[in-house]
Amino acid sequence: MKKIMKKAIATMMTFAAIGCMSCINAFAATNTTVIVSTDQEWTDLDPVSRTGRFSYVAMRVFGVYPTNGGVDNFRYIQGTVKNESGTQICSVVVLDERSSEASYPSIIEGHLGSSEVTFRFRGNSPNYGARANVFYNAM
C-alpha cells in the first residue's frame, strides 16, 4: 500500500511540475489600455523580459475608441517591438479589433537574443488619437 501511495504522489508531483513549467510564459502576458496620440507617434510601454525561447512576440487589440468621445468608428492600431538599444526588432503590424486571434510578428534575425523588449503602439491614422485595449506577450 505504501509503494502505491509513493508512486501516486510522485506521479502527481511530476504532472504538477510539468503543468507549472508550461504555464510560466503565460504570466508574462499583459492586458492594458494604451492612449495613442495624433500624428501616429509611438506610445512605448514599460520594458518586459523575454524568455528567448520563441522567435516571435504576440500582440492583440480588443477595442479602439476615440479619445474625445463621439462616434466609435475606430478599428485598427499599429504595433511593433524594440529592443534594449532602441532598435526595432519586428515589422510593424496592423492590429484589428475584430480579429479573434493575436498577431505573432517574427523577431528579425540577429535580434533573437534580446532579453528585454518594449512594445510600441500607435494609431492607424495621423489625424486621430485613440484609446486601445491591448494584449501583449514578449514570449
Side-chain angles (χ1 to χ4, degrees):
M1 185 67 161
K2 285 186 178 182
K3 283 185 178 182
I4 294 173
M5 285 300 279
K6 284 183 181 181
K7 285 184 181 182
I9 290 173
T11 302
M12 287 190 303
M13 290 180 69
T14 302
F15 282 118
I18 291 170
C20 287
M21 288 178 4
S22 66
C23 293
I24 286 174
N25 204 40
F27 295 115
T30 304
N31 288 344
T32 192
T33 299
V34 178
I35 297 177
V36 294
S37 65
T38 56
D39 299 327
Q40 286 188 301
E41 293 182 22
W42 288 108
T43 299
D44 290 358
L45 303 181
D46 292 333
V48 291
S49 297
R50 289 189 68 244
T51 63
R53 294 186 298 182
F54 301 94
S55 61
Y56 53 86
V57 294
M59 58 182 91
R60 181 177 176 191
V61 63
F62 293 104
V64 185
Y65 314 97
T67 53
N68 60 355
V71 178
D72 179 11
N73 56 6
F74 293 175
R75 182 173 161 188
Y76 305 102
I77 63 168
Q78 298 177 11
T80 191
V81 177
K82 67 179 183 177
N83 65 8
E84 305 94 332
S85 63
T87 303
Q88 184 175 313
I89 62 170
C90 75
S91 60
V92 174
V93 294
V94 176
L95 304 170
D96 183 347
E97 72 178 2
R98 294 183 186 173
S99 174
S100 61
E101 296 181 4
S103 293
Y104 297 92
S106 296
I107 295 175
I108 296 169
E109 190 79 30
H111 296 285
L112 295 173
S114 298
S115 60
E116 190 175 80
V117 296
T118 300
F119 282 81
R120 315 177 84 196
F121 297 97
R122 69 181 180 189
N124 202 46
S125 168
N127 300 325
Y128 303 101
R131 181 181 314 267
N133 297 329
V134 298
F135 156 87
Y136 59 96
N137 188 342
M139 311 296 266

